[in-house]
Amino acid sequence: MTDGPILSVEALRTTFHTDRETVRAVDGVDFDVSPGRTLGIVGESGSGKSVTARTILGLVDDPGRVDPDGSVRYHDPEFVRRTAASHPDRVRWLDAESDETGSRSEADSRSGTGSASESAPDEGVDDRFVTVTDGHPDEGAGGIEAGWVDLVAAPQAVTEEARGSEIAMVFQDAASSLNPVYTVGNQIRELLRIHRGLDGEEARRTAATLLEDVGIPDPERRLDEYPHQFSGGMQQRAAIALALACDPAVLLCDEPTTGLDVTIQAQILDLLERLQRERELAVVFITHDMGVISRIADTVAVMYAGEIVERASAERLFGEPRHPYTEGLLESIPGLVADIDLLPTIDGSVPTPNEPATSCRFAPRCPEAMPECETVHPRHVPVGDDATSPRDETGDAASADRHTAACLLYPESLSRRARLAAHEAADASRAGDSGDLGESEDSDAPHVPLDRSPGKDDEDQP
Ligand code: SF4
């Protein structure tokens, strides 16, 4: 098991192209999740939460496209070793101390094999999707201690191998993950056969243990029943058993309690918390329900129109929300505001993000919008205590809890003019990199610690 994040998502972009428009459903999403921790992703319907999860699992169908410049790095050492052994010509060898973006020629000369360049489809195109940060090519895959497999760059067969056995998903509608024409036991045994090579009595015993683990009484008898013979709560438990059948390290839960009554919802949350403790699972929990997030998440990412607009530890996010959208979501939770007749709501609805962001996508609904919000795309900046605390030199796990918001109201320490100049410069610099807009004209923009992703902050400063 890795000490740092088990899953790192960076600059993830998923677009859907139709005859009439291009929908940027996920537009530059970054996050890390570590073993034993829960990241909550929250936002209204249409904010891109579910597409993010499906992209991680390689479940985006036509006309969806995943931008190859983004990455989904899976860090399990055993999976890295196995994938490196089966794809030796797709491995990039880096020393743990070296720059992880080290050039191809550097890596090739260190490996002494030049095999990667032999396998590259085009001159100058790097098709290596396994990166080793601790290990040496002379020892082969067996000597690999740390690294990652990039599931965006990997061939479909590798993504399919990771799906279910390494990263599993629990869907909102249990019926969608249970086949109505097979018994529950049959479906679990099939997974055990394909992914773990179990058969016969051993597979049946393991399936019964899984049902018992998720709190289904009389599991031996239940194995022979069909999904329609289970109640809604029991169906969701069976779906969780299916997701855990291959002992994954990461569990993506997409609204797993929506549609269940509050008692069953609480039982499912209890179950997920217990399973996470027992298995050291890294959980990404997706929901529109702030109440559920406040109960289950260690860290929270708030999504709006394809982007993460605020992230923080759950304690900070609920105690000191900074982004106007997060504030609106929190104000609309019953019981978290004073005793009033009518709960506040956020007027309007989530827009369809069909253009590259050149403004704040929340501006039409934001009670604090300024004219500049229509022309400048805000970048993440540290807020609250993190706006003044010293940087974490090592990055990664500690930085994953850093409180940041993508809003032109921050950093508060700067004047309005300086804040806008800093965001403008950062946005123009990023767009310039991708060839969209060109360089910022404001070379005197003040330095602010703009933040693109946990642990990878220094790349994007203006
Ligand atoms: S950038 Fe402007 S519109 Fe967007 S959340 Fe901040 S204040 Fe509101």
Side-chain angles (χ1 to χ4, degrees):
M1 190 57 73
T2 168
D3 289 337
I6 184 80
L7 187 75
S8 306
V9 171
E10 190 174 334
L12 196 66
R13 287 192 169 77
T14 306
T15 48
F16 292 87
H17 302 272
T18 68
D19 290 344
R20 286 183 304 165
E21 60 181 0
T22 296
V23 177
R24 306 170 75 91
V26 178
D27 201 7
V29 162
D30 307 301
F31 61 78
D32 289 343
V33 60
S34 297
R37 305 270 293 171
T38 298
L39 167 74
I41 302 183
V42 68
E44 292 166 280
S45 297
S47 57
K49 311 181 298 295
S50 297
V51 181
T52 299
R54 297 185 74 86
T55 305
I56 291 169
L57 283 178
L59 291 174
V60 174
D61 295 325
D62 265 349
R65 294 278 182 277
V66 181
D67 186 338
D69 288 341
S71 63
V72 172
R73 295 174 175 181
Y74 181 57
H75 297 265
D76 179 76
E78 181 49 41
F79 188 73
V80 176
R81 274 193 284 275
R82 229 170 41 234
T83 311
S86 57
H87 298 80
D89 58 341
R90 303 296 182 87
V91 181
R92 175 192 291 108
W93 298 88
L94 299 179
D95 294 327
E97 300 78 17
S98 72
D99 175 2
E100 69 179 34
T101 59
S103 71
R104 179 193 184 95
S105 55
E106 254 182 286
D108 283 348
S109 65
R110 241 179 289 156
S111 76
T113 62
S115 57
S117 55
E118 284 158 23
S119 68
D122 300 304
E123 193 63 34
V125 175
D126 191 340
D127 66 345
R128 292 171 295 177
F129 58 88
V130 183
T131 300
V132 178
T133 55
D134 189 359
H136 195 279
D138 291 348
E139 298 172 48
I144 292 174
E145 296 293 332
W148 64 77
V149 176
D150 180 359
L151 297 175
V152 168
Q156 195 179 356
V158 171
T159 308
E160 283 173 1
E161 196 189 330
R163 191 188 307 148
S165 55
E166 306 293 330
I167 306 172
M169 186 145 165
V170 179
F171 294 88
Q172 172 182 345
D173 180 9
S176 68
S177 44
L178 295 170
N179 191 324
V181 301
Y182 292 103
T183 64
V184 169
N186 196 320
Q187 295 178 56
I188 299 177
R189 286 202 306 276
E190 180 69 359
L191 268 181
L192 293 172
R193 186 183 64 75
I194 294 170
H195 288 280
R196 291 171 60 181
L198 302 184
D199 235 326
E201 201 39 50
E202 190 182 9
R204 186 175 172 90
R205 259 200 321 275
T206 308
T209 305
L210 277 164
L211 289 191
E212 193 173 11
D213 279 354
V214 299
I216 294 182
D218 198 2
E220 276 288 342
R221 180 176 61 82
R222 290 292 196 162
L223 280 177
D224 297 321
E225 292 186 348
Y226 290 87
H228 74 269
Q229 294 173 283
F230 284 48
S231 66
M234 286 295 164
Q235 282 185 355
Q236 195 54 284
R237 286 173 190 267
I240 293 170
L242 263 181
L244 297 179
C246 303
D247 203 15
V250 180
L251 191 63
L252 309 178
C253 300
D254 187 5
E255 307 257 13
T257 57
T258 303
L260 300 175
D261 68 49
V262 287
T263 316
I264 305 298
Q265 176 174 294
Q267 290 173 5
I268 296 293
L269 293 178
D270 286 344
L271 170 66
L272 287 170
E273 284 177 329
R274 175 172 65 76
L275 293 170
Q276 180 183 41
R277 271 197 312 277
E278 291 172 358
R279 296 168 178 249
E280 271 288 282
L281 278 168
V283 175
V284 177
F285 197 101
I286 291 168
T287 181
H288 63 273
D289 188 332
M290 283 297 231
V292 169
I293 283 289
S294 71
R295 148 123 197 234
I296 200 161
D298 298 303
T299 55
V300 184
V302 181
M303 271 192 88
Y304 186 79
E307 301 175 303
I308 291 176
V309 295
E310 182 165 9
R311 63 177 148 235
S313 67
E315 191 183 350
R316 286 269 190 88
L317 193 104
F318 284 92
E320 307 162 35
R322 296 300 168 125
H323 196 282
Y325 179 57
T326 312
E327 289 172 347
L329 289 177
L330 288 175
E331 282 167 8
S332 62
I333 304 178
L336 285 189
V337 293
D339 189 15
I340 53 175
D341 292 336
L342 203 58
L343 278 174
T345 56
I346 306 171
D347 289 338
S349 56
V350 182
T352 302
N354 48 17
E355 296 289 342
T358 54
S359 62
C360 174
R361 287 181 171 144
F362 186 56
R365 306 172 71 191
C366 180
E368 302 189 50
M370 308 165 277
E372 298 86 347
C373 302
E374 301 285 352
T375 56
V376 178
H377 181 227
R379 305 294 310 278
H380 272 266
V381 296
V383 295
D385 290 346
D386 281 327
T388 49
S389 63
R391 287 285 180 97
D392 168 18
E393 293 298 325
T394 57
D396 291 340
S399 300
D401 284 352
R402 237 151 76 94
H403 193 173
T404 67
C407 173
L408 299 184
L409 296 172
Y410 306 102
E412 285 167 306
S413 56
L414 298 181
S415 68
R416 174 173 167 175
R417 188 187 170 91
R419 284 197 307 267
L420 295 173
H423 279 276
E424 247 174 345
D427 200 36
S429 152
R430 184 181 67 160
D433 291 344
S434 65
D436 286 348
L437 281 180
E439 294 296 319
S440 163
E441 291 172 7
D442 188 357
S443 57
D444 296 328
H447 169 91
V448 288
L450 292 163
D451 194 334
R452 193 179 70 162
S453 64
K456 303 170 185 73
D457 327 289
D458 295 329
E459 299 164 11
D460 287 317
Q461 290 174 1

